[in-house]
Amino acid sequence: MAEHEHAADAERGAEVALEDLPVAVRTRVVAVVASVLPEVTGLPPALRRVAGFAPARRARLGGTAIAAALADPDLRERASHQVATQRAAEVAALREGGSGDALEDAALGWLLRPRGWTRRLDDAVSTVAAREQSAERSREARLTERVEQAEQALREVRASHRAQLDEQKSENATLRRRLGETRASERAVREELEQARAEVAGAQAREQAALAVQEKELRRLRARVETLEAQAQAQAQAQRRADRTERDDATARARVLLETLVDAATGLRRELGLPAGSTAPGESVEQRLEDDAARDGGRSASAPITASVLEQHLALPQSRLVVDGYNVTKTVWSSTSLETQRSRLLALLAPLVARTRAETTVVFDAAEVDVRPAVSAPRGVKVLFSPYGVIADRVIEDLVAAEPEGRVVVVVTDDQDLRARTRARGVRHVSSRVLLDLLAR
């Protein structure tokens, strides 16, 4: 009895390292431990990460880490406890004498280490080794047979290649002879072709030289014709433009004057309620006085135009309003910027123009600047900037001169020289203050 207990204690104290086991046994041990790895407590960090893998991936991806960790006896004991719990039937068969699977018994015996495990492990290892040797001999026999078959096939292929090589050598000699004959004939044809090309190139060069001379002369004649046509066309366009401009200006003046007269007559007839074709007893006297006033040329003194009178003039049919922009704005807003002055004047003009429907143009002086600022003009108001080097007075004079005689034209300015230069055209002059008083209503 004492000897049996002593043998058991010695067996428990024996240690067989995992790397000393055959490869098949080591692989099976790792697979068994990997199946229970999530239930093992106290795993090192490397195995905790492996335990999170899917069961099929633990042994394949974490086999090295599991094999290294099993060198710790405590970890092996905890793993063997989980294996004994989950594989109770296999463990019971192992303790009763073995399950009949030497590989499985060797792996479980190394993990669980029951009584007599070293002897059983040696038996299982011997069985596994015998199986591996038998499998190795079988593999060697199959490999030897395959090698013999490959050598026989190689000998047959070599013999076939020799026959093909001889046949190809014979064919190659025939082809070389034919190639030599073909090259000789090709050289003769090439020489003839080069001679023909030289003759064609010479003919083409002579033809191109003659063609170049003809094209040069043709280009000279075409250039001359184009020059003459351009001169004739320019002269014709200039003449047509001059005739059209003169005719359009005369037509525009006549049309505006006619519309003004027709609107004035229609409005006067409607206001007085006169029947068509009727005459008043004092019409001849009134007409004579009006003719005398017209011949007087406006030299008689007249009362200054007030804000009310200005609005009446602008309400007349086809009335025309021309504003000397900065001359008006600097009267009240001289301390502000020019942009602010322009914006205020245009904003105040918008309701007056909408109410009277007078054709309105505001002229700003830009004779000393190259850049024309962007201006948002209200509906019915035209905004002009004088060209570089030209003052606004000249632009206003041109606008007044373009109007037909008889049309109501009002010029708003405090510039006395401008008033004197435009008075002969029958223009009505209004001061800046009167316009501002009307706009302030």
Side-chain angles (χ1 to χ4, degrees):
M1 184 67 177
E3 291 179 358
H4 182 72
E5 292 177 354
H6 180 71
D9 293 338
E11 188 176 31
R12 284 193 296 269
E15 183 62 34
V16 178
L18 182 62
E19 57 269 17
D20 296 336
L21 299 177
V23 176
V25 178
R26 289 202 304 270
T27 303
R28 186 57 187 165
V29 169
V30 170
V32 171
V33 174
S35 64
V36 300
L37 194 61
E39 287 77 19
V40 178
T41 60
L43 292 176
L47 289 187
R48 283 200 295 271
R49 186 172 64 255
V50 174
F53 294 165
R57 299 178 60 194
R58 291 176 197 150
R60 179 166 51 86
L61 299 179
T64 304
I66 295 173
L70 288 175
D72 183 6
D74 294 335
L75 178 63
R76 183 185 55 75
E77 288 290 339
R78 293 194 296 274
S80 63
H81 176 71
Q82 296 296 331
V83 171
T85 302
Q86 297 186 14
R87 300 192 177 192
E90 297 176 3
V91 171
L94 175 66
R95 289 175 177 172
E96 291 176 358
S99 61
D101 186 350
L103 182 61
E104 189 72 16
D105 292 344
L108 293 178
W110 187 86
L111 282 172
L112 301 176
R113 304 195 177 185
R115 180 178 300 173
W117 71 275
T118 55
R119 177 179 52 78
R120 295 179 182 179
L121 179 61
D122 292 338
D123 296 341
V125 168
S126 299
T127 303
V128 171
R131 287 181 182 176
E132 290 181 352
Q133 290 177 359
S134 176
E136 184 66 23
R137 285 193 297 271
S138 177
R139 284 194 298 271
E140 288 179 357
R142 288 195 300 272
L143 289 176
T144 301
E145 183 179 359
R146 289 180 181 178
V147 169
E148 291 177 355
Q149 293 176 355
E151 289 178 351
Q152 179 62 28
L154 180 60
R155 286 191 294 271
E156 294 176 356
V157 169
R158 284 179 177 176
S160 175
H161 285 176
R162 287 194 193 95
Q164 293 177 1
L165 181 59
D166 295 337
E167 183 180 356
Q168 289 177 358
K169 285 181 179 180
S170 176
E171 185 179 356
N172 190 20
T174 303
L175 291 176
R176 285 183 178 180
R177 185 179 63 257
R178 292 179 181 177
L179 179 61
E181 297 173 354
T182 304
R183 285 178 177 176
S185 117
E186 181 184 0
R187 280 195 297 270
V189 172
R190 188 175 298 172
E191 290 175 357
E192 295 177 358
L193 180 60
E194 291 295 334
Q195 183 178 0
R197 285 179 177 175
E199 294 176 357
V200 172
Q204 288 179 349
R206 291 190 297 272
E207 182 181 358
Q208 289 178 358
L211 184 60
V213 173
Q214 294 177 0
E215 288 182 350
K216 182 178 180 181
E217 182 65 18
L218 182 59
R219 285 195 298 270
R220 186 183 67 81
L221 294 176
R222 285 179 177 174
R224 180 61 179 168
V225 171
E226 291 177 356
T227 303
L228 295 176
E229 289 180 351
Q231 292 177 355
Q233 186 177 3
Q235 292 176 357
Q237 289 180 353
Q239 184 63 34
R240 288 197 299 270
R241 191 181 301 109
D243 295 343
R244 185 169 57 253
T245 302
E246 184 177 357
R247 185 172 60 254
D248 292 346
D249 291 344
T251 302
R253 291 192 181 96
R255 187 183 67 252
V256 172
L257 180 57
L258 179 60
E259 291 177 354
T260 302
L261 293 176
V262 171
D263 292 345
T266 303
L268 184 60
R269 183 181 293 113
R270 184 171 56 251
E271 292 178 1
L272 297 179
L274 297 177
S278 63
T279 58
E283 184 176 354
S284 60
V285 178
E286 294 173 354
Q287 184 64 38
R288 185 172 63 254
L289 293 176
E290 291 178 358
D291 294 341
D292 292 341
R295 286 193 298 272
D296 186 55
R299 291 189 295 271
S300 301
S302 59
I305 297 177
T306 63
S308 300
V309 175
L310 174 59
E311 186 167 9
Q312 293 176 5
H313 284 331
L314 296 180
L316 292 175
Q318 299 295 325
S319 60
R320 183 80 163 89
L321 175 62
V322 181
V323 181
D324 188 356
Y326 290 138
N327 187 274
V328 174
T329 59
K330 291 182 179 180
T331 303
V332 290
W333 305 311
S334 59
S335 60
T336 61
S337 64
L338 296 180
E339 182 180 1
T340 303
Q341 295 179 27
R342 292 193 299 267
S343 300
R344 289 183 178 179
L345 177 60
L346 295 177
L348 292 175
L349 280 173
L352 175 63
V353 174
R355 185 169 66 251
T356 62
R357 297 186 178 179
E359 184 180 352
T360 304
T361 302
V362 182
V363 182
F364 292 105
D365 195 340
E368 298 180 357
V369 294
D370 295 330
V371 180
R372 299 297 181 266
V375 177
S376 178
R379 178 178 297 179
V381 179
K382 298 178 182 178
V383 178
L384 298 178
F385 290 91
S386 64
Y388 180 77
V390 179
I391 61 176
D393 295 357
R394 302 302 180 191
V395 177
I396 295 175
E397 292 178 21
D398 294 341
L399 292 175
V400 172
E403 297 296 334
E405 295 184 2
R407 186 182 187 185
V408 177
V409 180
V410 179
V411 177
V412 181
T413 183
D414 291 332
D415 190 336
Q416 297 301 323
D417 293 338
L418 178 58
R419 288 190 174 195
R421 289 193 297 271
T422 58
R423 184 175 291 114
R425 304 290 300 181
V427 175
R428 293 169 174 81
H429 296 97
V430 178
S431 65
S432 302
R433 180 56 63 181
V434 173
L435 175 63
L436 293 172
D437 290 343
L438 178 59
L439 298 178
R441 289 184 177 181

